[in-house]
Amino acid sequence: MVMQLLLRKRAKSLPEEDWQDFLNLQAHIEDIKNDSARNGKGSDKWQDLALMSQATLEYSQVTESSDLVQSMIARFDPLGTCVSTTASKMNHSCNPNCTVIFSGASLSLRSLQSIPAGGELTQSYVDQTMPTSRRRQPLRSVYYFDCTCDYCNSACTCGLPDLPDFLKSRLTPDEVLNFEMEGMRLYSLSEKASPLEQMGLLGQAMDLFHPIKDIYPLWRYPWPTIRHAIILAQMALEHWHEALGLALKGYFFIEPVLYPITWNPLRTMRTFLLAKIMIEIQYNKSQSQDAGRGSENFDKYHINWAVAIGGLMAEVQAAIPKGFGIDSGFAREFEKLRRELTLGDGGWISIWGQEREKLEKAAQELVD
């Protein structure tokens, strides 16, 4: 990305205003040099940046100084996907009023709350569903500030206490931290594994929390992350009914807690994923040997899958204008599937209430 900026500047295809906007972004140079939080290794990152700047200068043949290029590289978040000097000026909040949405090469901001005219726009630099201590770590180590928002000062996540009384009654903060760390260790190991290997590792993570599931909320980190990874692995293995069970628990008991706004993009995508799982069960009738695993768990509820799918798709359709925009890539993907299913243009919300009740009962009664 730095190379592209330098080459565009040399070719005079980068407006001077954009160049100056980029240079005005924070580089945290002194923080990187003196970062004592890296166990005495803060200088290593600066040395790495120096090596990268030298390679960039040699390859691009531009005339900028090494110090300038080094500071340019320092401005990039390694997790970033694009350069937007406007969006980069937004401050962090653990209770943000906006989220960033990408559609192809376009970036847009979608509101998550009612924002008064002239009000500040904020986004979360980290996963806002992590508990306070977990959020503060990357904010300090990557962005070099200590968050003092209301959520952090009161040790809250998504408006809920990090350690509810019913959790503190059985576990100490250190014990909770140990559960988090071991759960995420297993999750990290699973990220590069095959779907079958993932199921083994993630199953160990689930087993870790089962003895305390009566006091450890479904929505508390890292359980939602682990459960969603299992859903994706089960889908890859075509274990549709097993994926459905976990996805239903997420739909009813996790996403509404973590993302209370109905048009929250992540919540909408999870609802769309649930609809896709049902579509596989109802319409595609996969011939995989394991496709019917777990189907007996739903037989007794006599669910009308067509109506359930129509209801979920109607919820997604209602969320798209605020959550993504009607011209977004997600909107186009949704519309393509909706037309393939010949669902029509409305009416599903009013008739799917009974099926929704059946699904919620199934989600309550199913054992992970």
Side-chain angles (χ1 to χ4, degrees):
M1 195 70 77
V2 170
M3 186 80 71
Q4 291 180 28
L5 287 171
L6 290 169
L7 292 176
R8 285 189 62 190
K9 185 175 185 299
R10 186 178 70 178
K12 298 183 179 180
S13 63
L14 182 68
E16 182 62 24
E17 181 181 358
D18 290 350
W19 174 252
Q20 291 302 322
D21 279 347
F22 177 76
L23 293 183
N24 288 334
L25 297 177
Q26 292 189 20
H28 300 291
I29 292 172
E30 293 305 315
D31 289 313
I32 293 173
K33 289 180 177 179
N34 303 314
D35 191 357
S36 59
R38 296 177 187 271
N39 299 318
K41 297 181 180 179
S43 60
D44 290 351
K45 181 176 180 180
W46 186 246
Q47 292 168 4
D48 290 341
L49 294 176
L51 291 173
M52 286 189 281
S53 68
Q54 292 173 14
T56 300
L57 284 169
E58 290 177 9
Y59 184 84
S60 64
Q61 297 296 302
V62 295
T63 58
E64 272 66 32
S65 69
S66 177
D67 286 344
L68 174 63
V69 176
Q70 196 168 349
S71 70
M72 288 178 66
I73 298 173
R75 286 173 169 83
F76 279 94
D77 180 343
L79 301 178
T81 55
C82 81
V83 176
S84 171
T85 53
T86 300
S88 296
K89 295 172 183 175
M90 292 174 64
N91 282 327
H92 162 81
S93 172
C94 293
N95 182 26
N97 58 22
C98 289
T99 188
V100 175
I101 293 294
F102 290 96
S103 180
S106 299
L107 178 153
S108 64
L109 298 178
R110 314 304 300 185
S111 64
L112 299 176
Q113 303 174 17
S114 178
I115 306 171
E120 181 184 10
L121 304 181
T122 60
Q123 63 173 317
S124 180
Y125 294 176
V126 296
D127 181 354
Q128 68 203 61
T129 69
M130 296 190 298
T132 303
S133 60
R134 289 279 177 173
R135 296 196 305 271
R136 281 179 160 173
Q137 287 174 3
L139 292 175
R140 163 46 51 190
S141 63
V142 177
Y143 300 101
Y144 299 99
F145 72 91
D146 296 310
C147 187
T148 57
C149 71
D150 291 342
Y151 276 12
C152 285
N153 285 341
S154 57
C156 284
T157 299
C158 298
L160 297 167
D162 287 341
L163 290 175
D165 290 340
F166 55 81
L167 187 57
K168 288 191 291 186
S169 67
R170 288 265 298 273
L171 297 174
T172 67
D174 284 344
E175 288 174 326
V176 173
L177 180 61
N178 288 337
F179 274 108
E180 291 176 4
M181 293 178 62
E182 180 60 13
M184 286 309 292
R185 184 188 72 83
L186 292 166
Y187 168 78
S188 298
L189 290 174
S190 75
E191 287 188 288
K192 296 182 180 180
S194 68
L196 195 58
E197 293 169 332
Q198 284 181 323
M199 288 301 299
L201 290 164
L202 296 169
Q204 291 180 50
M206 289 288 280
D207 290 343
L208 185 71
F209 290 96
H210 273 155
I212 57 170
K213 65 180 181 180
D214 58 324
I215 60 167
Y216 203 99
L218 286 177
W219 47 262
R220 195 185 190 285
Y221 175 90
W223 221 352
T225 302
I226 294 167
R227 298 171 75 90
H228 185 65
I230 293 176
I231 293 170
L232 298 180
Q234 288 170 334
M235 291 176 66
L237 295 170
E238 298 189 353
H239 297 172
W240 300 111
H241 289 86
E242 293 181 352
L244 175 62
L246 281 177
L248 281 174
K249 286 185 180 290
Y251 173 80
F252 285 109
F253 310 127
I254 299 176
E255 276 95 49
V257 177
L258 299 180
Y259 316 107
I261 299 298
T262 55
W263 66 83
N264 182 291
L266 189 50
R267 179 173 174 177
T268 302
M269 287 191 290
R270 297 285 171 85
T271 301
F272 192 38
L273 185 69
L274 174 58
K276 286 182 173 180
I277 294 172
M278 290 187 184
I279 289 167
E280 287 291 340
I281 291 172
Q282 174 65 13
Y283 295 113
N284 293 348
K285 305 292 186 184
S286 172
Q287 299 303 307
S288 164
Q289 181 179 352
D290 294 327
R293 284 175 46 140
S295 60
E296 68 280 0
N297 294 328
F298 295 92
D299 292 342
K300 66 179 180 179
Y301 300 103
H302 305 290
I303 297 164
N304 185 325
W305 296 109
V307 174
I309 292 166
L312 288 171
M313 293 289 282
E315 287 187 358
V316 174
Q317 187 174 24
I320 283 176
K322 287 186 176 181
F324 293 88
I326 58 176
D327 296 324
S328 64
F330 181 82
R332 291 191 292 273
E333 178 189 356
F334 168 83
E335 185 61 21
K336 180 176 182 292
L337 181 58
R338 190 184 70 83
R339 292 188 180 281
E340 288 175 356
L341 296 174
T342 62
L343 290 175
D345 292 321
W348 291 102
I349 291 291
S350 63
I351 66 172
W352 96 288
Q354 185 176 1
E355 304 311 314
R356 194 179 191 281
E357 290 177 2
K358 294 177 186 177
L359 290 169
E360 185 171 7
K361 184 177 181 181
Q364 289 172 336
E365 296 178 351
L366 287 171
V367 178
D368 290 338

